[in-house]
Amino acid sequence: MLAAPEPSPDPSLSETDANQTFDALIWALSRPGIPRGLPAAGEARIIRALLDRECRAYSADPLILPEIMRTGAQIAEIDAADHVFLGALQDLAPLDRIALGSDLYPDDGATVVLRGQIGQGPGLRLSGPGIESTLTVQIGGLPSGFWQKRRALIRYPMGFEIFILDGAAVIGIPRSTDIEVL
Amino acid sequence: MKLADLTKPWEALSYGFLDASAKREMRRKMLKSIAVPGCQMPYASREVPMARGWGTGGLQVSLTLVNPRTRVKVIDQGADDSVNAASIRRFIARVAGTPTTMDTLEAGLIQSRHRVPEEILRDDQVLVLQVPNPEPLRSVQPNMSIARQMHADADYGRMWLQLYEQIVRSGRVMQGASYPSLVHGRHVMTPSPIPRWDVPKQHMARHLTILSAGREKRIFAVPPFTRVEPLVFSDVPYKVEDHGDLTCTRSGTRGYFMNEIPQNDGTSAYEVSDSEWGVKTIRAAEDGGETRGETWYKDGKMS
């Protein structure tokens, strides 16, 4: 009889990275508006933790593309992509084309990752699941009218999730969050 | 791009049993299920060395979330020492090298079948519930394509009708476990077969709950501070089991969910369902050391 392979109780480096990154993402998305630290700055860790050959990804930032291609994910147009990396967003036009999923399959809505500045810029009042009553945060570096546009696009349960990266800090904004610009 | 970038060192078995692509799929679906609380998301549900229906859905979530510092607690009907709970706990510890515990307060991740612990969970804890039947509409609509359309339309009239019929026929709601609950005012979910006693614990809780059905290949979640409202009529209030006055025959604790143990003379004895709560109560009585945390129910009433 063959001996069963011994399990490895020590995770590999990539596994540890992905686990920590996902831990930050799930925590951030469960508690919208509260920043959480990723193991390292930038989109690369998120890409490695989430993307593989079953994904279609779009990136507005060409510097991220090699990292996406390394995962085997298909590079797609923005409206066909389930993961959208917008980098530092300049104008609102790309938002119109982001996949929202359907009422039947809300999970087809995209996950959007973009860069911003946490603690600067306009104040936002957040409410919804994950927030006890309301929470006020400042998120800068996004084009003006971004949150109004998001509100106009999302028809819950259709919509998309946003992760805002500022260095190694990440804020998650699920589609269920109501945002009022102060 | 170099060949070395595309490969990884050989491993006898992936950390945490699941391979990396299975974990990535779980991660993507967990994020989506948190974004739309209570909405059932389909997922692949890989093979694990356990029969479907024995907690494979919960196990896949746990194996994706754990790292060597996650302290794992597994319970089955409230008990840490039942065969299913002990096997799952040992399996996770073996393939992921995690420390284990029976103490709710020490645990980072709690995988559970059919109970929510009595002690209040904190925001750094994750509760993973095993779900046998994730579709609350199945009893009123066996066709799952139509049921999905009903969820899309928030068409829950038949759920209300079912509750109404139970009240008319029996004088009360007959749903003992998996009481249908409206999450975030939009999706009706089954909270898994937890007793009615445990449903209010999900409402505006501090912890994240992930519910995963391995056999049915669906996952859904209740994020922290999310409204979970059992379906009730405004003139027929929601009732939990009448366990508030019962005393555990083994530990003497009172006012928690009990297991009924039929006796030979036709009467019943009761023992507390959350086994570790009972153990802590006995220990506190023996040596006076208090290790019990705050509970959701105080004096048999939800606080």
Side-chain angles (χ1 to χ4, degrees), chain A residues 102-153:
Chain A
S102 60
D103 286 330
L104 282 171
Y105 292 97
D107 47 322
D108 289 341
T111 303
V112 180
V113 180
L114 41 80
R115 295 187 179 211
Q117 279 105 43
I118 297 167
Q120 300 172 35
L124 308 169
R125 185 180 292 136
L126 275 54
S127 60
I131 304 161
E132 191 163 7
S133 52
T134 59
L135 180 78
T136 309
V137 288
Q138 281 182 295
I139 298 174
L142 301 174
S144 66
F146 177 85
W147 299 108
Q148 288 85 347
K149 184 80 183 168
R150 170 187 177 271
R151 174 180 280 260
L153 287 170

Side-chain angles (χ1 to χ4, degrees), chain A residues 8-9 11 15 19 22 26 29-31 49-52 55 83 103-105 107 109-111 129-130 156 161 176, chain B residues 13 15 23-24 27-29 31-32 34-35 37 41-42 64-68 123 148 152 184 206 224-226:
Chain A
S8 54
E15 162 66 28
N19 184 283
F22 178 64
I26 195 172
L29 202 67
S30 309
R31 292 155 183 95
L50 297 181
L51 264 60
D52 55 26
C55 298
H83 289 79
D103 286 330
L104 282 171
Y105 292 97
D107 47 322
T111 303
Y156 188 84
E161 279 60 64
S176 55
Chain B
L13 196 64
Y15 173 78
K23 284 182 181 170
R24 281 190 292 264
R27 291 184 191 124
R28 295 194 295 265
K29 289 298 180 181
L31 291 179
K32 290 299 163 196
I34 287 167
M41 307 292 184
T64 307
L65 288 173
V66 290
N67 60 57
D123 58 3
R148 182 164 285 278
H184 184 43
R206 305 197 75 88
F225 300 118
T226 301

Side-chain angles (χ1 to χ4, degrees), chain A residues 47-69:
Chain A
I47 291 169
R48 281 179 234 157
L50 297 181
L51 264 60
D52 55 26
R53 300 162 66 102
E54 290 158 46
C55 298
R56 286 185 301 264
Y58 168 87
S59 174
D61 182 350
L63 293 177
I64 308 172
L65 275 176
E67 192 65 52
I68 296 176
M69 288 159 91

Side-chain angles (χ1 to χ4, degrees), chain B residues 94 125 224 279:
Chain B
R94 193 157 166 245
Q125 295 177 305
V279 169

